[in-house]
C-alpha cells in the first residue's frame, strides 16, 4: 500500500487551501463584521500583506529553480505567461485577501474578545447609495461601510432630512472599534439639502 507523500511539489495545493479559508474569513468580515480598523492598522496590514506575498513568490521561485516544484499542468495560462501572473494577476487577488484578514478579521476578533466596552456618540446622516442591481440605504458615520448601519427604505424616508446623533455600544482596542449595537437615534437638526 503506497503512502501519500507530502512533498514540496504539492505546496501550491496547500496555498490554495489556505486562500480558500482566508476567502471565507474575509467574506465574514465584509458582510457580518461590524468593525472599523484604525488607519494605522490598515496601512501596516497592507505592508505586511505585500511583504508576505513577495516572500511566498520568492519561496516558490526558489523551489522551481531547485526543481522541487513545477507549475502544474492544469495552469496552462500560468505556464505560458508566468511573469504576468506573478507580478499582476496573483497580487490582485492574494494581497487584498491577506489585507482583509490582517486589517479586518484578526483585529476584529481581538477587539471583540478583549476590547474595552464603551458607549460612543457619533453624528450621522441617512444616505442612499446605488449599486448596479439595486439601491441600498445606510447611516453615514465616521465608521464607514459597516453592515450594522444599513437601514430600510422606510427608515431612510424618516431620517433623510435630518442630522442625527447615534449612541453606540462598542468595544474598543488599539486596533479599532467593534460596534455591538445602536442604542439610540436622536434627531438633532433638520438638513433639507440632503435628498
Amino acid at each position: 500500500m503506497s503512502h501519500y507523500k507530502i512533498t514540496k511539489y504539492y505546496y501550491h495545493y496547500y496555498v490554495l487551501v489556505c486562500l480558500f479559508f482566508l476567502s471565507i474569513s474575509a467574506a465574514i468580515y465584509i458582510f457580518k463584521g461590524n468593525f472599523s480598523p484604525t488607519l494605522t492598522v490598515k496601512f501596516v496590514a497592507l505592508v505586511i500583506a505585500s511583504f508576505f506575498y513577495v516572500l511566498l513568490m520568492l519561496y516558490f521561485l526558489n523551489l522551481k529553480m531547485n526543481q522541487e516544484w513545477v507549475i502544474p499542468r492544469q495552469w496552462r495560462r500560468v505556464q505560458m505567461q508566468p511573469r504576468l501572473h506573478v507580478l499582476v494577476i496573483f497580487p490582485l487577488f492574494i494581497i487584498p485577501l491577506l489585507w482583509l484578514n490582517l486589517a479586518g478579521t484578526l483585529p476584529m476578533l481581538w477587539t471583540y474578545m478583549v476590547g474595552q466596552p464603551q458607549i460612543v456618540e457619533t453624528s450621522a446622516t441617512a444616505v442612499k447609495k446605488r449599486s448596479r442591481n439595486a439601491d441600498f440605504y445606510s447611516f453615514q458615520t465616521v465608521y464607514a461601510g459597516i453592515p450594522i448601519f444599513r437601514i430600510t427604505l422606510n427608515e431612510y424616508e424618516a431620517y433623510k432630512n435630518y442630522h442625527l446623533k447615534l449612541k453606540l455600544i462598542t468595544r474598543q482596542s488599539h486596533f479599532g472599534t467593534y460596534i455591538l449595537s445602536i442604542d439610540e437615534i436622536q434627531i438633532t437638526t433638520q438638513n433639507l439639502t440632503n435628498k
Side-chain angles (χ1 to χ4, degrees):
M1 183 177 200
S2 63
H3 293 285
Y4 179 74
K5 228 174 144 182
I6 296 176
T7 66
K8 294 176 182 178
Y9 182 82
Y10 298 105
Y11 274 14
H12 61 275
Y13 289 124
Y14 311 141
V15 170
L16 290 175
V17 168
C18 288
L19 290 176
F20 172 74
F21 287 110
L22 288 173
S23 299
I24 290 172
S25 63
I28 290 169
Y29 166 68
I30 290 170
F31 296 111
K32 295 291 183 184
N34 296 317
F35 178 73
S36 178
T38 64
L39 192 58
T40 304
V41 168
K42 291 178 183 179
F43 178 74
V44 170
L46 180 61
V47 171
I48 292 172
S50 302
F51 181 71
F52 186 74
Y53 176 76
V54 169
L55 281 182
L56 186 65
M57 289 301 112
L58 288 175
Y59 180 67
F60 272 96
L61 178 63
N62 183 46
L63 292 180
K64 189 173 181 343
M65 289 172 59
N66 293 328
Q67 298 180 349
E68 296 177 340
W69 182 77
V70 294
I71 297 172
R73 286 192 309 270
Q74 302 91 333
W75 296 6
R76 287 189 187 95
R77 291 185 179 172
V78 179
Q79 286 180 339
M80 290 167 28
Q81 297 176 314
R83 285 194 179 102
L84 173 69
H85 283 78
V86 168
L87 298 176
V88 178
I89 296 174
F90 291 164
L92 288 177
F93 293 101
I94 296 173
I95 291 175
L97 201 57
L98 290 170
W99 180 80
L100 282 169
N101 281 278
L102 293 171
T105 306
L106 295 176
M108 177 182 72
L109 291 173
W110 174 266
T111 302
Y112 183 78
M113 290 188 300
V114 301
Q116 297 296 319
Q118 289 187 352
I119 296 174
V120 175
E121 287 189 355
T122 185
S123 59
T125 54
V127 293
K128 175 181 181 179
K129 296 183 181 177
R130 294 188 182 272
S131 67
R132 210 164 35 159
N133 300 329
D135 295 336
F136 64 95
Y137 310 93
S138 65
F139 290 129
Q140 184 172 338
T141 67
V142 293
Y143 308 108
I146 295 180
I148 199 168
F149 292 128
R150 291 270 177 100
I151 57 175
T152 64
L153 174 59
N154 291 338
E155 290 171 322
Y156 170 74
E157 292 295 335
Y159 294 126
K160 69 178 181 178
N161 295 323
Y162 300 99
H163 284 293
L164 307 168
K165 186 183 282 186
L166 306 180
K167 188 182 281 187
L168 309 173
I169 298 176
T170 68
R171 286 188 170 272
Q172 294 189 347
S173 71
H174 295 295
F175 299 119
T177 303
Y178 187 91
I179 299 171
L180 297 168
S181 66
I182 301 172
D183 194 42
E184 188 180 334
I185 302 171
Q186 290 180 343
I187 296 173
T188 56
T189 57
Q190 193 162 3
N191 178 19
L192 297 173
T193 59
N194 182 18
K195 295 184 179 176

